[in-house]
Amino acid sequence: MTGARVVAVVATVAVLALTGTVASSDYGRAAAKEVVRDTPAEHDPQALAALHPAVRGYVDAIAARDVNALVAVFAPWAIVDDTGRRFGGRSAIRGWARDEVIGGRLTVLRTTPGPQGPTVLLHFDPAGFMAGFRARYTFDVDHDVITRVTLRYA
């Protein structure tokens, strides 16, 4: 582990120890696990190439920091289930994306095809907060738009 990585681990542990509510949260546990992993900084090329075009549009919109492009890949009635929090319809998805997604950095690590759409293992680092986390995003896609995405910490 590099010196910078050791400093990051120590700093994250200190922050988590001082903030009991974050440390006891799912996010706090996911961020703490991620800090000691050796997560790639770039997308896995095969996983990225295997993405459905709507899901690739989601990934590209985050990279471009374009909330309009992100909302456009969703059906008007789509649902985002973000670790149990539900956002229904494009207006709610826009607010969620603007407040919690745009400005972060998403890295695709693996994709697994499914009957309704892929499940994508990724690393997401929201706007430099702590170390980021790994999550599984399960996408339902119909007629080239995302109808549902379920996000769970990995």
Coordinates of all heavy atoms in Angstrom, one line a residue, residues 68-121:
N68 N -29.3 16.5 -18.2 CA -30.3 16.3 -19.2 C -30.1 15.0 -20.0 O -31.1 14.3 -20.3 CB -30.4 17.5 -20.2 CG -30.8 18.8 -19.5 OD1 -31.7 18.7 -18.6 ND2 -30.2 19.9 -19.8
A69 N -28.9 14.7 -20.3 CA -28.6 13.4 -21.0 C -28.9 12.2 -20.1 O -29.5 11.2 -20.6 CB -27.2 13.4 -21.5
L70 N -28.7 12.4 -18.8 CA -28.9 11.3 -17.9 C -30.4 11.0 -17.8 O -30.9 9.9 -18.0 CB -28.4 11.5 -16.5 CG -28.5 10.4 -15.6 CD1 -27.2 10.2 -14.8 CD2 -29.7 10.5 -14.7
V71 N -31.2 12.1 -17.7 CA -32.7 11.9 -17.6 C -33.3 11.4 -18.9 O -34.2 10.6 -18.8 CB -33.3 13.3 -17.2 CG1 -34.8 13.2 -17.3 CG2 -32.9 13.7 -15.8
A72 N -32.7 11.7 -20.0 CA -33.2 11.3 -21.3 C -33.1 9.8 -21.5 O -33.9 9.3 -22.3 CB -32.5 12.0 -22.4
V73 N -32.2 9.1 -20.8 CA -32.1 7.6 -21.0 C -33.2 6.9 -20.2 O -33.3 5.7 -20.3 CB -30.7 7.1 -20.7 CG1 -29.7 7.7 -21.6 CG2 -30.4 7.2 -19.2
F74 N -34.0 7.6 -19.4 CA -35.0 7.0 -18.6 C -36.4 7.2 -19.3 O -36.7 8.2 -19.9 CB -35.1 7.6 -17.2 CG -34.0 7.1 -16.3 CD1 -32.8 7.9 -16.2 CD2 -34.2 6.0 -15.5 CE1 -31.8 7.4 -15.3 CE2 -33.2 5.6 -14.7 CZ -32.0 6.3 -14.6
A75 N -37.3 6.2 -19.1 CA -38.7 6.3 -19.6 C -39.3 7.4 -18.7 O -38.9 7.6 -17.5 CB -39.4 5.0 -19.4
P76 N -40.4 8.0 -19.2 CA -41.0 9.1 -18.4 C -41.5 8.6 -17.0 O -41.6 9.3 -16.0 CB -42.2 9.5 -19.2 CG -41.8 9.2 -20.6 CD -40.9 7.9 -20.5
W77 N -41.9 7.3 -16.9 CA -42.4 6.7 -15.7 C -41.4 5.9 -14.9 O -41.7 5.1 -14.0 CB -43.6 5.8 -16.0 CG -43.2 4.7 -16.9 CD1 -42.7 3.4 -16.5 CD2 -43.1 4.7 -18.4 NE1 -42.4 2.7 -17.6 CE2 -42.6 3.4 -18.8 CE3 -43.4 5.6 -19.3 CZ2 -42.4 3.1 -20.1 CZ3 -43.2 5.3 -20.7 CH2 -42.7 4.0 -21.0
A78 N -40.1 6.0 -15.3 CA -39.1 5.1 -14.7 C -39.0 5.3 -13.2 O -39.4 6.3 -12.6 CB -37.8 5.4 -15.4
I79 N -38.3 4.3 -12.6 CA -38.1 4.3 -11.1 C -36.6 4.1 -10.9 O -36.0 3.2 -11.4 CB -38.9 3.2 -10.4 CG1 -40.4 3.5 -10.6 CG2 -38.6 3.1 -9.0 CD1 -41.3 2.4 -10.2
V80 N -36.1 4.9 -10.0 CA -34.8 4.7 -9.4 C -35.0 4.2 -8.0 O -35.6 4.9 -7.2 CB -33.9 5.9 -9.5 CG1 -32.6 5.7 -8.7 CG2 -33.6 6.3 -10.9
D81 N -34.4 3.1 -7.6 CA -34.4 2.6 -6.2 C -33.0 2.7 -5.7 O -32.2 1.8 -6.1 CB -35.0 1.2 -6.2 CG -34.9 0.6 -4.8 OD1 -34.2 1.1 -3.9 OD2 -35.6 -0.5 -4.6
D82 N -32.7 3.7 -5.0 CA -31.3 4.0 -4.5 C -31.2 3.5 -3.1 O -31.6 4.3 -2.2 CB -31.0 5.4 -4.7 CG -29.6 5.8 -4.3 OD1 -28.9 4.9 -3.7 OD2 -29.2 6.9 -4.5
T83 N -30.8 2.3 -2.9 CA -30.7 1.7 -1.6 C -31.9 1.9 -0.7 O -31.8 2.2 0.4 CB -29.4 2.2 -0.9 OG1 -29.5 3.6 -0.6 CG2 -28.1 1.9 -1.6
G84 N -33.0 1.6 -1.3 CA -34.3 1.7 -0.6 C -35.1 3.0 -0.7 O -36.2 3.1 -0.4
R85 N -34.4 4.0 -1.2 CA -35.1 5.3 -1.5 C -35.6 5.3 -2.9 O -34.8 5.0 -3.8 CB -34.1 6.5 -1.3 CG -33.6 6.6 0.1 CD -32.6 7.7 0.3 NE -31.5 7.6 -0.7 CZ -31.0 8.6 -1.3 NH1 -31.4 9.8 -1.2 NH2 -30.0 8.4 -2.2
R86 N -36.9 5.6 -3.1 CA -37.5 5.5 -4.4 C -37.7 6.9 -5.0 O -38.3 7.8 -4.4 CB -38.8 4.8 -4.2 CG -39.5 4.4 -5.5 CD -40.8 3.6 -5.2 NE -41.4 3.2 -6.4 CZ -42.4 3.9 -7.0 NH1 -42.8 5.0 -6.5 NH2 -42.9 3.4 -8.1
F87 N -37.3 7.0 -6.3 CA -37.5 8.2 -7.1 C -38.3 7.8 -8.4 O -37.8 7.0 -9.2 CB -36.2 8.9 -7.5 CG -35.4 9.2 -6.2 CD1 -34.5 8.3 -5.7 CD2 -35.5 10.4 -5.6 CE1 -33.7 8.6 -4.6 CE2 -34.8 10.7 -4.5 CZ -33.9 9.8 -4.0
G88 N -39.5 8.3 -8.5 CA -40.4 7.9 -9.6 C -40.6 9.0 -10.6 O -41.0 10.1 -10.2
G89 N -40.4 8.8 -11.9 CA -40.7 9.8 -12.9 C -39.4 10.6 -13.2 O -38.5 10.7 -12.3
R90 N -39.4 11.2 -14.3 CA -38.2 12.0 -14.8 C -37.9 13.2 -13.9 O -36.8 13.5 -13.6 CB -38.4 12.4 -16.2 CG -38.1 11.3 -17.2 CD -38.1 11.8 -18.6 NE -37.7 10.8 -19.5 CZ -38.0 10.8 -20.8 NH1 -38.8 11.7 -21.3 NH2 -37.6 9.8 -21.6
S91 N -38.9 13.8 -13.4 CA -38.7 15.0 -12.5 C -38.0 14.6 -11.2 O -37.0 15.3 -10.8 CB -40.0 15.7 -12.2 OG -39.8 16.8 -11.3
A92 N -38.4 13.6 -10.6 CA -37.8 13.1 -9.3 C -36.4 12.6 -9.7 O -35.4 12.8 -8.9 CB -38.6 12.0 -8.7
I93 N -36.3 11.9 -10.8 CA -34.9 11.3 -11.2 C -34.0 12.5 -11.5 O -32.8 12.4 -11.1 CB -35.1 10.4 -12.4 CG1 -35.8 9.1 -11.9 CG2 -33.7 10.0 -13.0 CD1 -36.2 8.2 -13.1
R94 N -34.5 13.6 -12.1 CA -33.6 14.7 -12.3 C -33.1 15.3 -11.0 O -31.9 15.6 -10.9 CB -34.4 15.8 -13.1 CG -33.6 17.1 -13.3 CD -34.5 18.1 -14.0 NE -34.9 17.7 -15.3 CZ -34.2 17.6 -16.4 NH1 -32.9 18.0 -16.4 NH2 -34.7 17.2 -17.6
G95 N -34.0 15.5 -10.0 CA -33.5 16.0 -8.7 C -32.5 15.1 -8.1 O -31.5 15.6 -7.5
W96 N -32.8 13.8 -8.1 CA -31.8 12.8 -7.5 C -30.5 12.9 -8.2 O -29.4 13.0 -7.6 CB -32.4 11.4 -7.6 CG -31.5 10.3 -7.4 CD1 -31.0 9.8 -6.2 CD2 -30.8 9.5 -8.4 NE1 -30.2 8.8 -6.4 CE2 -30.0 8.6 -7.8 CE3 -30.9 9.5 -9.8 CZ2 -29.3 7.6 -8.4 CZ3 -30.2 8.6 -10.5 CH2 -29.4 7.6 -9.8
A97 N -30.5 12.9 -9.5 CA -29.3 12.9 -10.3 C -28.5 14.2 -10.1 O -27.3 14.2 -9.9 CB -29.6 12.8 -11.8
R98 N -29.2 15.4 -10.1 CA -28.6 16.7 -9.9 C -27.9 16.7 -8.5 O -26.8 17.2 -8.3 CB -29.6 17.8 -10.0 CG -29.1 19.2 -9.9 CD -30.2 20.2 -9.7 NE -31.0 20.0 -8.5 CZ -32.3 19.7 -8.5 NH1 -33.0 19.7 -9.6 NH2 -32.9 19.5 -7.4
D99 N -28.6 16.2 -7.5 CA -28.1 16.3 -6.1 C -27.1 15.3 -5.7 O -26.3 15.5 -4.8 CB -29.3 16.3 -5.1 CG -30.3 17.5 -5.3 OD1 -29.9 18.5 -5.9 OD2 -31.4 17.3 -4.8
E100 N -27.2 14.1 -6.3 CA -26.4 13.0 -5.8 C -25.5 12.3 -6.8 O -24.6 11.5 -6.4 CB -27.3 11.9 -5.2 CG -28.2 12.5 -4.0 CD -29.0 11.4 -3.4 OE1 -28.6 10.3 -3.3 OE2 -30.1 11.8 -2.9
V101 N -25.7 12.5 -8.1 CA -25.0 11.7 -9.1 C -24.1 12.6 -10.0 O -22.9 12.3 -10.1 CB -26.0 10.9 -10.0 CG1 -25.2 10.2 -11.1 CG2 -26.8 10.0 -9.2
I102 N -24.6 13.6 -10.5 CA -23.8 14.5 -11.4 C -22.7 15.2 -10.6 O -23.0 15.7 -9.6 CB -24.7 15.5 -12.1 CG1 -25.8 14.8 -13.0 CG2 -23.9 16.5 -12.9 CD1 -25.2 14.0 -14.1
G103 N -21.5 15.1 -11.1 CA -20.3 15.6 -10.4 C -19.5 14.5 -9.8 O -18.4 14.7 -9.4
G104 N -20.1 13.3 -9.7 CA -19.4 12.1 -9.2 C -18.6 11.4 -10.4 O -18.8 11.8 -11.5
R105 N -17.9 10.4 -10.0 CA -17.1 9.7 -11.0 C -17.5 8.2 -10.9 O -17.4 7.6 -9.8 CB -15.6 9.8 -10.7 CG -14.8 9.1 -11.8 CD -13.3 9.5 -11.7 NE -12.6 9.1 -12.9 CZ -12.2 7.9 -13.1 NH1 -12.4 6.9 -12.3 NH2 -11.5 7.6 -14.2
L106 N -18.0 7.6 -12.0 CA -18.4 6.3 -12.0 C -17.4 5.5 -12.9 O -17.0 5.9 -13.9 CB -19.8 6.2 -12.7 CG -20.5 4.9 -12.7 CD1 -22.0 5.2 -12.6 CD2 -20.3 4.2 -14.1
T107 N -17.0 4.3 -12.4 CA -16.1 3.4 -13.1 C -16.8 2.0 -13.2 O -17.2 1.4 -12.2 CB -14.8 3.2 -12.3 OG1 -14.3 4.5 -12.1 CG2 -13.8 2.4 -13.1
V108 N -17.0 1.6 -14.4 CA -17.6 0.3 -14.7 C -16.6 -0.8 -14.5 O -15.5 -0.8 -15.2 CB -18.2 0.2 -16.1 CG1 -18.8 -1.2 -16.4 CG2 -19.3 1.2 -16.3
L109 N -16.9 -1.8 -13.6 CA -15.9 -2.8 -13.3 C -16.3 -4.2 -13.9 O -15.4 -4.9 -14.3 CB -15.8 -3.0 -11.7 CG -15.5 -1.8 -10.9 CD1 -15.6 -2.1 -9.4 CD2 -14.1 -1.3 -11.3
R110 N -17.6 -4.4 -14.0 CA -18.1 -5.7 -14.6 C -19.6 -5.6 -14.9 O -20.3 -4.8 -14.3 CB -17.9 -6.8 -13.6 CG -18.3 -8.2 -14.1 CD -17.9 -9.3 -13.1 NE -18.5 -9.2 -11.8 CZ -17.9 -9.2 -10.7 NH1 -16.6 -9.2 -10.6 NH2 -18.5 -9.1 -9.5
T111 N -20.0 -6.3 -15.9 CA -21.4 -6.3 -16.3 C -21.8 -7.7 -16.5 O -21.1 -8.5 -17.0 CB -21.7 -5.4 -17.5 OG1 -23.1 -5.4 -17.7 CG2 -21.0 -5.9 -18.8
T112 N -23.0 -8.0 -16.0 CA -23.6 -9.3 -16.2 C -25.0 -9.2 -16.8 O -25.8 -8.5 -16.3 CB -23.8 -10.0 -14.8 OG1 -22.6 -10.0 -14.1 CG2 -24.3 -11.4 -14.9
P113 N -25.2 -9.9 -18.0 CA -26.5 -9.7 -18.7 C -27.6 -10.3 -17.8 O -27.4 -11.3 -17.0 CB -26.3 -10.5 -19.9 CG -24.9 -10.9 -20.0 CD -24.3 -10.7 -18.7
G114 N -28.8 -9.8 -18.0 CA -30.0 -10.3 -17.3 C -31.2 -10.3 -18.2 O -31.1 -9.7 -19.3
P115 N -32.3 -10.9 -17.8 CA -33.4 -11.0 -18.7 C -34.1 -9.6 -19.0 O -34.6 -9.4 -20.1 CB -34.4 -11.9 -18.0 CG -34.0 -11.8 -16.5 CD -32.5 -11.6 -16.5
Q116 N -34.0 -8.7 -18.1 CA -34.6 -7.3 -18.3 C -33.6 -6.3 -18.7 O -33.9 -5.2 -19.2 CB -35.4 -6.9 -17.1 CG -36.5 -7.8 -16.7 CD -37.6 -7.9 -17.7 OE1 -37.9 -7.0 -18.4 NE2 -38.1 -9.1 -17.9
G117 N -32.3 -6.6 -18.4 CA -31.2 -5.7 -18.6 C -30.0 -6.1 -17.7 O -30.1 -7.1 -17.0
P118 N -28.9 -5.4 -17.8 CA -27.7 -5.9 -17.1 C -27.7 -5.5 -15.7 O -28.3 -4.6 -15.2 CB -26.6 -5.1 -17.9 CG -27.2 -3.9 -18.3 CD -28.7 -4.2 -18.6
T119 N -26.9 -6.2 -14.9 CA -26.4 -5.8 -13.6 C -25.0 -5.4 -13.7 O -24.2 -6.1 -14.3 CB -26.6 -7.0 -12.6 OG1 -28.0 -7.3 -12.4 CG2 -26.0 -6.6 -11.2
V120 N -24.7 -4.2 -13.3 CA -23.4 -3.6 -13.5 C -22.7 -3.4 -12.1 O -23.3 -2.8 -11.2 CB -23.5 -2.3 -14.2 CG1 -22.1 -1.7 -14.4 CG2 -24.2 -2.4 -15.5
L121 N -21.5 -4.0 -11.9 CA -20.7 -3.7 -10.7 C -19.9 -2.5 -11.1 O -19.2 -2.5 -12.1 CB -19.8 -4.9 -10.4 CG -18.9 -4.7 -9.2 CD1 -19.6 -4.5 -7.9 CD2 -17.9 -5.9 -9.1

